[in-house]
Amino acid sequence: MRIGVPKEIKVEEYRVGLTPASVREYVAHGHEVVVQRGAGDGIGAGDDVYTQAGARIADTAEEVFSVGEMIVKVKEPQPSEWIKLREGQILFTYLHLAPDVPQTAGLIASGCTAVAYETVTDAHGGLPLLAPMSEVAGRLAIEAAGAALRKSAAGMGKLLGGVPGVPPARVAIIGGGVVGTHAARMAAGLGSDVTILDRSLPRLRALDDLFIGRVRTRYATLEAIEQEVFAADVVIGAVLVPGAAAPKLVSRAQLAGMKRRAVLVDVAIDQGGCFETSKATTHQAPTYLVDEVVHYCVANMPGAVPVTSSHALNHATLPFGLALASKGLRALVEDPHLRAGLNVHRGRITNRAVAESQHLSAVMPEEALAS
């Protein structure tokens, strides 16, 4: 199969769909890889490195999309990209369709087969292609919170870990999944006073064992969330409903009960955000104020560390991408975990959570692939 790797064009996105090491693997498996000129610049991989790995360099995105039987990206296609997609073409990337009506319509109109990293599953019920970026985002969330707490950044002027004789910042993490766990690991490592809230008792027990008393755990009732949010200097929104829009867990009215210049970090912003007042921001202008509360809502947090992120992502996506390249649609038929990643196929939505978020109808992936 011919694999196309366009340069990412979303604002401040420096990751790349395939690293040179991954290109070498595809080529070794008998596939042709076409990489857009400059696609790897953000990770320090020049065109010559891709050429040495066996790729052919294309001058334009138009050429990549026109010749590629499968397009491998990182971020969701932008308007100028989804109009280049076509029926029979496989798109393999993050999509986050639930809150994105225009992109959904664009993919439906294209007729392509769109497989979303974030809904591919594994035998343990996990999301293996989302996990590496969740790990990065969870760790970055605490770095971002520490920077946003500084007075020069409009924060309250508190150090996350405190110093002897001065209490540390209090950090509330809503969601005990991969993002929440890694955020807690970073925050506790810096000496912060950390609480994780989650609605899964088995998960809370696992977190309690993992952190051996260094982190408090609380069952996430509405009352518990409100108490922790009001007491916190930093709140990390780390909730995930696979494929669906994130639930709104902190309302605009509740901001009035928070500390002045406390920080909200919304890691769920790609799925619409878990705070009512969240709106997507960029690395260049990452924060804004609402009712004297600092909001950090960068929609592609791992893009700030593209070297780490690109390699971590490629390690996870490579086996699935190779299966798609070798078997085409048959890979989706044979592997139920890869099939769970199918969001749009030949003009039809095949992910129920996406469809429900947009009040549209969906077909089962098995039915769509059989037709």
Side-chain angles (χ1 to χ4, degrees):
M1 183 179 284
R2 187 177 297 114
I3 314 302
V5 184
K7 183 178 177 66
E8 298 293 325
I9 60 172
K10 188 166 184 176
V11 176
E12 296 172 341
E13 181 53 67
Y14 305 106
R15 289 172 289 180
V16 63
L18 292 182
T19 62
S22 291
V23 168
R24 186 174 176 183
E25 293 287 337
Y26 275 87
V27 172
H29 282 76
H31 306 295
E32 181 184 350
V33 182
V34 180
V35 178
Q36 185 180 348
R37 189 174 301 281
D41 288 351
I43 65 166
D47 298 333
D48 57 332
V49 179
Y50 277 97
T51 301
Q52 291 168 14
R56 175 168 71 84
I57 303 300
D59 288 326
T60 65
E62 285 75 13
E63 182 179 355
V64 171
F65 278 90
S66 67
V67 303
E69 297 169 274
M70 179 167 77
I71 302 297
V72 180
K73 284 175 44 59
V74 178
K75 291 304 291 180
E76 70 278 1
Q78 303 302 292
S80 64
E81 294 177 312
W82 71 56
I83 62 173
K84 296 182 178 73
L85 295 167
R86 64 182 184 275
E87 186 171 349
Q89 195 171 45
I90 297 172
L91 172 66
F92 193 39
T93 188
Y94 286 117
L95 294 176
H96 300 291
L97 288 178
D100 194 341
V101 174
Q103 185 200 170
T104 304
L107 293 180
I108 290 172
S110 75
C112 78
T113 297
V115 182
Y117 294 159
E118 71 272 12
T119 60
V120 172
T121 59
D122 62 24
H124 308 290
L127 302 170
L129 308 192
L130 185 62
M133 295 304 92
S134 295
E135 292 167 352
V136 172
R139 294 179 179 225
L140 281 176
I142 299 304
E143 292 186 12
L149 276 175
R150 296 172 187 166
K151 199 71 175 178
S152 59
M156 64 174 63
K158 183 174 283 190
L159 184 65
L160 278 172
V163 293
V166 181
R170 188 161 174 171
V171 178
I173 300 170
I174 308 175
V178 177
V179 170
T181 300
H182 282 264
R185 190 189 302 275
M186 292 289 285
L190 290 170
S192 301
D193 182 354
V194 183
T195 300
I196 302 180
L197 301 105
D198 199 280
R199 286 190 174 241
S200 166
L201 285 175
R203 185 58 192 158
L204 291 175
R205 292 188 183 103
L207 290 167
D208 204 49
D209 289 342
L210 176 65
F211 289 107
I212 320 174
R214 292 187 300 136
V215 169
R216 285 187 301 276
T217 58
R218 288 193 71 177
Y219 188 80
T221 61
L222 295 175
E223 182 178 22
I225 291 173
E226 185 172 81
Q227 288 174 351
E228 293 296 333
V229 166
F230 287 176
D233 303 301
V234 171
V235 179
I236 307 294
V239 296
L240 172 69
V241 179
K248 305 299 182 187
L249 300 178
V250 177
S251 68
R252 171 70 181 264
Q254 287 175 313
L255 298 188
M258 294 183 65
K259 294 180 181 178
R260 184 177 180 273
R261 300 303 173 109
V263 174
L264 293 175
V265 179
D266 197 339
V267 188
I269 191 64
D270 270 333
Q271 294 293 125
C274 58
F275 308 132
E276 186 181 5
T277 45
S278 292
K279 60 181 181 181
T281 60
T282 66
H283 292 291
Q284 289 297 316
T287 63
Y288 59 92
L289 281 172
V290 178
D291 296 343
E292 292 297 302
V293 174
V294 180
H295 291 58
Y296 179 99
C297 304
V298 174
N300 62 330
M301 290 176 66
V305 286
V307 174
T308 298
S309 297
S310 294
H311 286 287
L313 178 60
N314 271 245
H315 295 161
T317 60
L318 182 61
F320 295 96
L322 286 174
L324 284 168
S326 297
K327 300 179 181 179
L329 297 183
R330 185 160 56 89
L332 298 168
V333 173
E334 294 178 356
D335 184 349
H337 301 299
L338 184 55
R339 189 166 65 245
L342 185 63
N343 278 212
V344 178
H345 178 60
R346 293 178 180 168
R348 296 190 287 181
I349 297 177
T350 54
N351 181 285
R352 190 176 302 279
V354 169
E356 290 177 351
S357 295
Q358 299 188 20
H359 308 291
L360 299 172
S361 60
V363 297
M364 294 297 292
E366 297 84 355
E367 178 185 343
L369 290 166
S371 61

